[in-house]
Amino acid sequence: MTSVVARIPGDRPVFSVEFMPPRDDADERRLWNSIRSLEGLDPAFVSVTYGAGGSSRDRTIRTTGRVVRETTLVSMAHLTAVDHSVAELRNVIGWYAELGVRNVLALRGDPPGDPMGEWVMHPEGLEYAEELVRLVRELGDFCVGVSAFPYGHPRSADLDTDTDYLVRKLRAGADFAIAQLFFEADDFLRMRDRVAARGCDALLVPGVMPLTTPKIMSKTVELSGAQVPRALADRLGPLTDDPKAFRAAGMDVTEELSRRLLAEGVPCLHFYTFNLSKATKEMVARLGLVPARPETRANLRPVG
């Protein structure tokens, strides 16, 4: 399977998408409608998340495997260290390899039940994401990604300390990092500068979520750990009771953010979809990231 980094050429901007494993049959239908809808736009890769404490491990593996078998998409699987022994992690990595998955996002993960709860290492597990990166590297020819935090991880003492941890993960063998959500392009660009100042030139990919509803904006606050900037609150706050107007303005905000990132040389935008495709399709069209003649890569390799 093609690696994530090979799918990000650098001579032209591309996009990728992130899905969640389905919770039930209705969610599975919605997910696969989205996958099929986006497949023809040829995203650089797609990823499937992995629940805290392995809560959605089996669904993640099943969904990732189905993407590999039934689509032309390049798939990246998530893997977390939380609540897993090294033996269990080895098994999961082996399952991914057997499925043909060669791209893994290695995460320490949040404590199950309470993401901000106390981190407790499994007695036979791993404590840091960099250890998981090394384990994945030891077990096969994988392209490995890690997470990055523009505002710093909630458990980091400060941004400099957090940047040191990110660089350690990258130097442990990670090929790239995907940034958690942020509100302003400068938040990501400053993080990129901090990493570069440490002599690390690894690929950094920003995570973007189209601001289509007040709920999505609240989710961005939750995932980023940062409050909505005053200018953005003033722009979108008065529209919270007008869904159509909020969506229109939120999509404009997302486009402006994305255009600034692309202008600053970001080679790939990673869109969080919530298993829906409409907003992502609209955004990549606005940004000109859709191929001139959208088509799948079915003619390049068989599906099976």
Side-chain angles (χ1 to χ4, degrees):
M1 173 178 284
T2 306
S3 72
V4 163
V5 292
R7 289 286 293 158
I8 304 176
D11 59 346
R12 58 180 176 82
V14 296
F15 76 99
S16 56
V17 293
E18 182 164 308
F19 299 109
M20 300 177 293
R23 295 164 295 183
D24 51 38
D25 290 346
D27 200 21
E28 183 142 8
R29 288 191 295 272
R30 183 163 50 248
L31 166 63
W32 280 95
N33 284 339
S34 295
I35 289 174
R36 293 303 186 187
S37 179
L38 289 165
E39 182 178 9
L41 302 184
D42 195 23
F45 64 94
V46 300
S47 68
V48 182
T49 61
Y50 191 94
S55 60
S56 63
R57 181 183 68 183
D58 292 343
R59 292 192 297 272
T60 296
I61 293 171
R62 185 175 68 248
T63 302
T64 302
R66 188 177 170 190
V67 170
V68 172
R69 292 190 307 271
E70 300 181 19
T71 79
T72 60
L73 296 164
V74 172
S75 182
M76 179 180 72
H78 290 213
L79 179 64
T80 66
V82 64
D83 272 5
H84 286 330
S85 67
V86 170
E88 289 171 335
L89 291 168
R90 286 177 177 271
N91 283 335
V92 175
I93 296 166
W95 290 335
Y96 284 147
E98 186 175 349
L99 290 169
V101 176
R102 287 295 181 270
N103 300 290
V104 175
L105 190 69
L107 311 165
R108 187 171 84 159
D110 296 321
D114 180 7
M116 296 307 297
E118 181 183 0
W119 164 262
V120 178
M121 186 184 79
H122 187 287
E124 298 175 1
L126 302 174
E127 185 170 6
Y128 298 109
E130 66 181 278
E131 297 174 306
L132 183 56
V133 170
R134 293 192 183 96
L135 179 64
V136 175
R137 280 294 198 188
E138 290 170 5
L139 296 178
D141 182 21
F142 291 96
C143 177
V144 183
V146 294
S147 60
F149 300 88
Y151 303 115
H153 191 281
R155 294 181 179 83
S156 291
D158 50 51
L159 287 177
D160 282 338
T161 301
D162 190 76
T163 305
D164 290 339
Y165 279 122
L166 172 56
V167 171
R168 283 171 56 177
K169 291 189 291 186
L170 293 165
R171 289 179 173 160
D175 299 282
F176 64 97
I178 296 179
Q180 268 287 12
L181 293 169
F182 51 92
F183 285 105
E184 297 178 304
D186 283 341
D187 299 326
F188 174 84
L189 298 172
R190 281 191 288 265
M191 181 189 71
R192 190 177 69 173
D193 289 344
R194 292 194 299 271
V195 172
R198 285 160 172 77
C200 183
D201 61 356
L203 173 65
L204 302 181
V205 176
V208 177
M209 183 146 55
L211 293 173
T212 55
T213 67
K215 183 178 180 180
I216 292 293
M217 189 160 71
S218 297
K219 190 68 175 178
T220 302
V221 171
E222 176 187 336
L223 294 175
S224 69
Q227 294 301 308
V228 179
R230 178 63 181 271
L232 182 58
D234 289 346
R235 186 170 174 181
L236 296 183
L239 306 176
T240 54
D241 294 326
D242 186 340
K244 185 175 180 179
F246 187 98
R247 186 186 190 282
M251 289 291 283
D252 287 345
V253 167
T254 306
E255 180 181 358
E256 292 161 14
L257 169 70
S258 300
R259 287 193 181 280
R260 171 75 192 290
L261 293 168
L262 295 174
E264 293 288 344
V266 169
C268 179
L269 301 176
H270 186 66
F271 288 102
Y272 296 92
T273 68
F274 278 123
N275 292 0
L276 300 172
S277 61
K278 184 177 180 180
T280 298
K281 289 181 68 175
E282 180 181 333
M283 191 53 56
V284 298
R286 286 191 185 198
L287 297 170
L289 302 179
V290 180
R293 295 179 60 187
E295 56 185 17
T296 68
R297 297 188 307 281
N299 60 319
L300 300 182
R301 67 179 179 87
V303 179

